[in-house]
Amino acid sequence: MVDSLVRLRDALREFAAARDWDQFHTPRNLATALSVEAAELLEPFQWLTDAEADRLPPETRAAVEQEMADVLLYLVRLADRMGVDLEQAALAKIELNAAKYPADKVRGSARKYDRQ
Amino acid sequence: MVDSLVRLRDALREFAAARDWDQFHTPRNLATALSVEAAELLEPFQWLTDAEADRLPPETRAAVEQEMADVLLYLVRLADRMGVDLEQAALAKIELNAAKYPADKVRGSARKYDRQ
Amino acid sequence: MVDSLVRLRDALREFAAARDWDQFHTPRNLATALSVEAAELLEPFQWLTDAEADRLPPETRAAVEQEMADVLLYLVRLADRMGVDLEQAALAKIELNAAKYPADKVRGSARKYDRQ
Amino acid sequence: MVDSLVRLRDALREFAAARDWDQFHTPRNLATALSVEAAELLEPFQWLTDAEADRLPPETRAAVEQEMADVLLYLVRLADRMGVDLEQAALAKIELNAAKYPADKVRGSARKYDRQ
């Protein structure tokens, strides 16, 4: 079984190579595209209450899934372009967060989110 | 071997459960946090040329890796919260893009990027 | 009395000229910087309830004011760079919105916000 | 002559009052909407070279103007909602930047942009 992030990385490499698009996939371009897609993912939620967000109409939900896919694809491509191991970076960040927010100190509190 | 996206999903479930943070992880909150992290990932690149972006100072590169991790973690958490299979969504999007941008028609052209 | 947007435009022209920064103020660079600043403006609100957002600690509020200033400054600069009259564009958009969302049809409803 | 920012503030107050939309215009909602609009403003530029960005097709340019208007409108509304004087905040930020980036030290250099 090929790992999902590896499979996506390879599929995107092939996709870009077949179109000669590597030239456009600079880190800055990819980071910009990722940021735009992240905002498109946020867009359908912006005026919704939490309750409304939990029962999205089917077509909105399908659009949200596509935006999530776009974010992941640009992120995987950027990581490949920069030689970053996404899984390792994410696992390392979880460890950092665990040290920063000890479970017994922050349980149930949104306070830890406030960086100020 | 556990798949990377599954492993991250499970690690984040455990992390949130230990802190009783599921209550804050609404789709809207997660989509907002993801969008903020995506902008933080873009931030170091904003005034750089492509050449400069290819030789980031080590501390900038380390920061960029952490922002990439943050984006992935919020995305995985949002997908879990919404019941979306990220790998399947991403593979489906690659197929959609392949149909939308046939290799023989768009080779080497940034034109296809222009949605207008 | 000089109009506020004109005054800011002129102050930014002078600021950039004194530093020879016009070369960096391309539309894409400015739009990117504006987007990053908008996310920094959103950042302090991301985990807050509406009630919490209404009583920000003074230092957070001061930071928010600075981010709002950054957004306006990049926007004014971008408009100047592109030859756009911001006030006219904004007034025209209000008229468009008024036609799109007739008061008697959308009163008190968040529905109109849902583009889907 | 009414100042442009005051005129827009008043037009938006009237617009929201006529639709009973003040209830939706919380600081967090407005900051979120502003961030989404800023990304929509960035979107048309994301794959363009600086040269291409300088000769946008008319319909793209018109769309860009509308996105700039959206950013300004949400910013003016947020400032009104939070009791922030946008012009004063922006002038204060220019002074801060002038002290941070002395003209004789940063002339012609993009280095000062690098916060790292």
Side-chain angles (χ1 to χ4, degrees), chain B residues 29-98:
Chain B
N29 280 358
L30 293 167
T32 303
L34 193 161
S35 175
V36 168
E37 296 298 337
E40 292 180 1
L41 172 57
L42 176 56
E43 196 275 339
F45 294 107
Q46 67 184 324
W47 300 109
L48 301 186
T49 62
D50 284 340
E52 290 166 334
D54 271 333
R55 40 177 170 81
L56 294 178
E59 66 275 21
T60 306
R61 189 188 155 86
V64 163
E65 285 196 28
Q66 286 204 18
E67 302 299 350
M68 295 175 69
D70 283 332
V71 169
L72 182 57
L73 295 176
Y74 281 123
L75 182 64
V76 167
R77 190 79 184 126
L78 176 60
D80 190 23
R81 180 64 177 70
M82 294 186 68
V84 170
D85 184 320
L86 266 185
E87 185 185 11
Q88 287 312 309
L91 290 170
K93 194 57 170 33
I94 292 177
E95 277 192 40
L96 269 178
N97 288 343

Side-chain angles (χ1 to χ4, degrees), chain A residues 1-8 11-12 15 17-21 23-29 31-32 34-42 45-50 53-54 56 61 64-75 78-91 93-94 96-99 101-104 106-113 115, chain B residues 1-8 11-12 15 17-21 23-29 31-32 34-42 45-50 53-54 56 61 64-75 78-91 93-94 96-99 101-104 106-113 115:
Chain A
M1 228 355 234
V2 179
D3 183 81
S4 55
L5 290 176
V6 174
R7 192 177 172 192
L8 292 173
L12 290 173
F15 187 92
R19 286 158 185 79
D20 194 17
W21 283 4
Q23 59 184 314
F24 305 119
H25 288 180
T26 62
R28 186 182 165 175
N29 280 358
T32 303
L34 194 161
S35 175
V36 168
E37 296 298 337
E40 291 180 2
L41 173 56
L42 176 56
F45 294 107
Q46 66 183 326
W47 300 109
L48 302 186
T49 61
D50 285 339
D54 272 333
L56 295 179
R61 189 188 156 86
V64 163
E65 285 196 25
Q66 286 203 19
E67 301 299 349
M68 294 175 70
D70 282 331
V71 169
L72 182 57
L73 294 176
Y74 281 123
L75 182 64
L78 175 61
D80 190 23
R81 181 65 178 70
M82 295 187 66
V84 169
D85 183 321
L86 267 186
E87 185 186 11
Q88 287 312 308
L91 290 170
K93 195 55 170 34
I94 292 177
L96 268 178
N97 287 343
Y101 305 118
D104 57 340
V106 301
R107 195 182 315 278
S109 163
R111 284 277 302 291
K112 86 292 157 202
Y113 283 121
R115 301 182 184 180
Chain B
M1 234 348 239
V2 179
D3 184 81
S4 56
L5 290 176
V6 174
R7 191 177 173 193
L8 292 173
L12 289 173
F15 187 92
R19 286 158 186 79
D20 195 15
W21 282 4
Q23 58 184 314
F24 305 119
H25 289 181
T26 62
R28 185 183 165 175
N29 280 358
T32 303
L34 193 161
S35 175
V36 168
E37 296 298 337
E40 292 180 1
L41 172 57
L42 176 56
F45 294 107
Q46 67 184 324
W47 300 109
L48 301 186
T49 62
D50 284 340
D54 271 333
L56 294 178
R61 189 188 155 86
V64 163
E65 285 196 28
Q66 286 204 18
E67 302 299 350
M68 295 175 69
D70 283 332
V71 169
L72 182 57
L73 295 176
Y74 281 123
L75 182 64
L78 176 60
D80 190 23
R81 180 64 177 70
M82 294 186 68
V84 170
D85 184 320
L86 266 185
E87 185 185 11
Q88 287 312 309
L91 290 170
K93 194 57 170 33
I94 292 177
L96 269 178
N97 288 343
Y101 305 119
D104 57 339
V106 301
R107 197 182 314 278
S109 163
R111 283 280 302 293
K112 87 291 159 201
Y113 282 123
R115 302 182 183 179

Side-chain angles (χ1 to χ4, degrees), chain C residues 1-8 11-12 15 17-21 23-29 31-32 34-42 45-50 53-54 56 61 64-75 78-91 93-94 96-99 101-104 106-113 115, chain D residues 1-8 11-12 15 17-21 23-29 31-32 34-42 45-50 53-54 56 61 64-75 78-91 93-94 96-99 101-104 106-113 115:
Chain C
M1 224 3 228
V2 179
D3 183 79
S4 56
L5 289 176
V6 174
R7 192 177 173 193
L8 292 173
L12 290 173
F15 187 93
R19 286 158 186 79
D20 195 16
W21 283 4
Q23 59 186 313
F24 306 119
H25 289 181
T26 62
R28 185 183 165 174
N29 280 358
T32 303
L34 193 161
S35 174
V36 168
E37 296 298 337
E40 291 180 2
L41 172 57
L42 176 56
F45 293 107
Q46 67 185 322
W47 300 108
L48 301 186
T49 62
D50 284 340
D54 271 334
L56 294 179
R61 188 187 157 87
V64 163
E65 285 196 26
Q66 286 204 18
E67 302 299 348
M68 294 175 71
D70 283 330
V71 169
L72 182 57
L73 294 176
Y74 281 122
L75 182 64
L78 175 61
D80 190 24
R81 180 65 178 68
M82 294 186 65
V84 170
D85 183 320
L86 267 186
E87 184 185 12
Q88 288 312 309
L91 289 171
K93 195 55 169 36
I94 291 176
L96 268 179
N97 288 342
Y101 306 119
D104 57 339
V106 301
R107 195 182 315 277
S109 163
R111 283 278 301 291
K112 87 290 159 202
Y113 283 122
R115 302 181 184 181
Chain D
M1 231 351 235
V2 179
D3 183 80
S4 56
L5 290 177
V6 174
R7 191 177 173 193
L8 293 172
L12 290 173
F15 187 92
R19 287 157 185 80
D20 194 17
W21 283 4
Q23 58 185 315
F24 305 119
H25 288 181
T26 63
R28 185 182 165 176
N29 280 359
T32 303
L34 193 161
S35 175
V36 168
E37 296 298 337
E40 291 181 2
L41 172 56
L42 176 55
F45 295 107
Q46 66 184 326
W47 301 109
L48 302 186
T49 62
D50 284 339
D54 272 333
L56 294 179
R61 188 187 156 86
V64 163
E65 285 196 26
Q66 286 204 18
E67 302 298 348
M68 294 175 70
D70 283 331
V71 169
L72 182 57
L73 294 176
Y74 281 123
L75 183 64
L78 176 61
D80 190 23
R81 181 64 176 70
M82 294 187 67
V84 170
D85 183 320
L86 266 185
E87 184 185 12
Q88 287 313 308
L91 290 170
K93 195 56 172 31
I94 292 177
L96 268 179
N97 288 343
Y101 306 118
D104 58 340
V106 301
R107 197 181 314 278
S109 163
R111 283 279 301 292
K112 87 290 157 200
Y113 282 122
R115 303 182 185 180

